[in-house]
């Protein structure tokens, strides 16, 4: 069984990354990619059937939840993964009421999304093969496959989601100027090595670029700049855009390059 996925994401870089991630997961295929609410509606009509929608909640011509509400009213029954920077539990609750089966917070890794997609595929296979549950335990087991938090979504050891959000907000707010690890450390109140680990993580996940900045004296510094095409650049502080491909040079830990 191949599950067909509609990717709805307004940022082209993030949309391409999401679509690439989906195609790398066995049993999934991208039916279409849409960047607006109107395109999503047309895609559902032109590329039916669609089993799953990866839905950004912030679209240029309307809310993703408003789109989902209209789709339900029109009889579209595709399941939905909300792929978003929205952390408001009220928004999450509203999404659940409209049939959102997973909320995937940006930024995320391929492993995080693939784990959720595979769990969803297991849920679909179980539900369609058995048809009717014989007990409450069987219902609970089926739902636990879909809802359980994947271990692969964890950040690298030593990094926390809260601090990553703070580092991301500082880098994003620096616009074209960017930051060195030393500058980020001073702004956030942490040591330079820790700041560099978070900045390198953003490079590895495709949310930032690492460049060299040359001063008047001494060696060049690593200079981290938020990717202009990343959707998170338009979100509220603490929100992040979707993933892109890895960028920058050197290893993920930054060894072998100039000092920050």
């Amino acid at each position: 069984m191949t599950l067909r996925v509609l990717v709805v994401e307004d940022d082209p870089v993030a949309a391409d990354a999401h679509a690439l991630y989906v195609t790398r997961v066995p049993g999934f295929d991208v039916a279409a990619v849409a960047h607006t609410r109107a395109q999503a509606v047309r895609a559902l009509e032109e590329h039916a059937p669609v089993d799953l929608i990866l839905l950004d909640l912030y679209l240029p011509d309307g809310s993703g939840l408003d789109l989902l509400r209209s789709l339900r009213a029109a009889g579209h029954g595709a399941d939905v993964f909300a792929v978003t920077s929205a952390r408001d539990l009220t928004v999450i609750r509203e999404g659940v009421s409209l049939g959102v089966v997973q909320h995937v917070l940006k930024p995320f890794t391929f492993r995080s999304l693939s784990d959720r997609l595979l769990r969803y595929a297991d849920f679909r296979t179980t539900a369609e093969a058995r048809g009717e549950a014989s007990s409450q335990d069987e219902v609970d087991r089926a739902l636990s496959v879909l809802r359980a938090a994947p271990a692969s979504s964890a950040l690298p050891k030593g990094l926390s989601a809260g601090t990553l959000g703070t580092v991301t907000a500082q880098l994003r707010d620096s616009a074209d100027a960017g930051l060195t690890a030393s500058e980020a450390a001073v702004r956030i109140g942490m040591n330079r090595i820790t700041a560099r680990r978070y900045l390198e993580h953003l490079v590895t996940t495709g949310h930032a670029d690492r460049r060299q900045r040359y001063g008047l004296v001494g060696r060049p510094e690593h200079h981290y700049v938020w990717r202009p095409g990343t959707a998170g650049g338009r979100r509220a502080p603490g929100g992040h855009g979707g993933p892109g491909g890895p960028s920058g040079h050197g290893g993920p830990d930054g060894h072998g390059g100039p000092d920050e």
Side-chain angles (χ1 to χ4, degrees):
M1 175 179 67
T2 298
L3 297 173
R4 289 167 53 79
V5 180
L6 169 63
V7 175
V8 183
E9 165 62 55
D10 67 328
D11 182 77
V13 174
D16 288 345
H18 297 171
L20 177 62
Y21 281 5
V22 170
T23 60
R24 290 173 59 189
V25 181
F28 287 86
D29 184 37
V30 175
V33 175
H35 302 299
T36 67
R37 176 175 172 173
Q39 288 179 8
V41 173
R42 288 197 298 271
L44 284 170
E45 296 173 351
E46 297 172 1
H47 300 278
V50 169
D51 300 290
L52 178 67
I53 304 173
L54 296 191
L55 178 63
D56 184 8
L57 297 189
Y58 299 94
L59 298 171
D61 55 348
S63 161
L65 288 181
D66 287 343
L67 167 62
L68 181 53
R69 194 175 291 108
S70 66
L71 292 178
R72 295 304 187 225
H76 290 286
D79 291 322
V80 174
F81 279 19
V83 181
T84 176
S85 59
R87 285 163 168 77
D88 187 336
L89 292 179
T90 301
V91 174
I92 293 175
R93 178 184 176 188
E94 185 176 1
V96 171
S97 72
L98 292 170
V100 172
V101 297
Q102 284 280 3
H103 277 79
V104 187
L105 294 180
K106 302 174 181 179
F108 57 87
T109 64
F110 167 70
R111 290 178 60 196
S112 177
L113 181 61
S114 65
D115 189 291
R116 286 173 169 82
L117 288 174
L118 291 172
R119 287 175 181 271
Y120 171 73
D122 287 345
F123 171 76
R124 286 284 302 263
T125 300
T126 299
E128 294 175 8
R130 299 184 180 180
E132 183 174 329
S134 60
S135 66
Q136 181 67 52
D137 286 344
E138 190 169 342
V139 172
D140 292 342
R141 283 195 299 272
L143 290 176
S144 69
V145 169
L146 181 63
R147 295 292 188 183
S152 61
S153 64
L155 290 168
K157 185 177 180 180
L159 303 189
S160 72
T163 303
L164 178 61
T166 301
V167 173
T168 298
Q170 288 291 336
L171 188 62
R172 185 184 62 233
D173 292 344
S174 297
D176 294 336
L179 291 171
T180 65
S182 297
E183 292 167 343
V186 171
R187 292 191 186 188
I188 299 166
M190 62 173 60
N191 66 60
R192 179 181 59 83
I193 295 176
T194 301
R196 183 175 68 179
R197 289 194 64 204
Y198 282 97
L199 291 167
E200 287 291 338
H201 176 72
L202 290 173
V203 171
T204 300
T205 56
H207 294 83
D209 291 318
R210 188 196 314 110
R211 304 171 184 170
Q212 290 186 354
R213 184 166 67 184
Y214 292 86
L216 296 177
V217 295
R219 293 188 296 172
E221 300 174 300
H222 280 323
H223 184 223
Y224 299 88
V225 179
W226 186 258
R227 279 194 171 186
T230 305
R234 302 186 314 282
R235 307 300 191 230
H240 315 302
S247 63
H249 308 285
D253 61 357
H255 295 308
D259 292 337
E260 287 78 24

